[in-house]
Amino acid sequence: MFKRKLKQRYTIATIFTKVPTVAAYANLPPNVKQFIDSIINGGVKANPVARVKRKNIQPLETDFWQLTYENIILLRNAVESMQMEEVFRIVYGITEKQFLNLPIFNCFACYKFITDQLLEMAAIEQESLGAEPTLEEKNAGVEDLAQFGYANNLDMLANGDVLKYDAILLKPYAVVFRKLYMEKVKQDIHKKYMDYVSRKAKRGS
């Protein structure tokens, strides 16, 4: 007759020697869960390596600029909506079962690695692509385009041809970003040129 296997019991005293998994976290005693939350909220060190049952799993791309444009969009949406399992699927290619077997501290260390990468990218994007609309553009309703999100850039890159969307979404984001930055520089040069022409015309009148 087989003995029934006892469930793992977690206590604050043993939490670092018997680290609970993501799956076990929901059923932890309140005091243990609160203790873990305090550690996580206090700040965990970023770690790119996910560990599932002694198996180290590296990100599919350590350089997030090499992720496809589609995966960057999906990843940011997943982070924004706090879909952690989806985040790990995109970055590590792991299954639901593997995600649930991640040690809870390792899970949040990897998540910090991911969000740190996205924040660095966002800062570069803001510096390179960010621009405040002019009064004329605001009056023309340019801010109405915000509702379309990523579709604005996608449509611009495809020159309005929806049949080209899929091919662009499969490009590495580094390629897409470079093109977006080049178009931004062109627009800035054009605006400066038009301002120069306008000022020159006023002086001549």
Side-chain angles (χ1 to χ4, degrees):
M1 185 174 179
F2 293 102
K3 291 184 179 180
R4 185 178 179 181
K5 187 177 180 180
L6 295 176
K7 288 185 177 181
Q8 177 73 63
R9 297 187 64 182
Y10 297 99
T11 66
I12 291 177
T14 62
I15 202 67
F16 293 110
T17 55
K18 298 178 181 178
V19 180
T21 62
V22 171
Y25 174 79
N27 298 315
L28 290 175
N31 65 320
V32 177
K33 186 183 290 187
Q34 185 178 13
F35 181 67
I36 290 176
D37 289 347
S38 68
I39 295 173
I40 293 172
N41 292 333
V44 293
K45 186 177 180 180
N47 182 0
V49 182
R51 297 189 178 92
V52 181
K53 293 185 176 180
R54 299 182 182 179
K55 181 181 178 181
N56 290 343
I57 303 177
Q58 301 286 345
L60 298 177
E61 290 287 354
T62 54
D63 180 2
F64 281 18
W65 292 99
Q66 298 307 315
L67 289 172
T68 64
Y69 188 26
E70 180 180 36
N71 276 342
I72 285 293
I73 294 172
L74 292 174
L75 179 57
R76 285 173 166 165
N77 287 340
V79 168
E80 185 176 347
S81 57
M82 299 184 68
Q83 299 177 35
M84 290 188 69
E85 183 184 329
E86 177 67 5
V87 169
F88 277 77
R89 184 194 66 78
I90 294 169
V91 175
Y92 293 96
I94 65 176
T95 64
E96 177 185 4
K97 183 177 179 180
Q98 288 176 314
F99 172 73
L100 293 175
N101 281 318
L102 286 171
I104 192 67
F105 294 127
N106 177 244
C107 175
F108 279 93
C110 290
Y111 192 72
K112 187 175 190 316
F113 160 73
I114 294 167
T115 54
D116 282 353
Q117 297 295 311
L118 293 178
L119 286 172
E120 286 181 15
M121 293 174 71
I124 293 172
E125 289 169 328
Q126 180 59 36
E127 181 179 354
S128 303
L129 306 177
E132 182 67 23
T134 64
L135 181 60
E136 291 79 8
E137 289 172 334
K138 288 182 179 179
N139 289 337
V142 69
E143 292 175 325
D144 293 341
L145 290 172
Q147 64 183 302
F148 299 108
Y150 292 105
N152 288 307
N153 285 336
L154 185 58
D155 191 66
M156 183 271 291
L157 292 168
N159 291 319
D161 186 351
V162 296
L163 298 179
K164 295 180 180 178
Y165 280 14
D166 288 346
I168 294 169
L169 287 169
L170 294 177
K171 295 288 186 184
Y173 186 56
V175 174
V176 172
F177 173 77
R178 184 174 179 81
K179 175 61 176 176
L180 291 174
Y181 181 53
M182 183 170 68
E183 291 300 318
K184 171 67 165 48
V185 172
K186 287 180 180 179
Q187 290 175 9
D188 289 345
I189 292 172
H190 180 71
K191 284 182 180 180
K192 290 177 182 178
Y193 175 73
M194 295 306 295
D195 287 344
Y196 168 76
V197 171
S198 177
R199 289 195 303 270
K200 187 175 181 181
K202 287 179 181 179
R203 288 196 299 267
S205 60

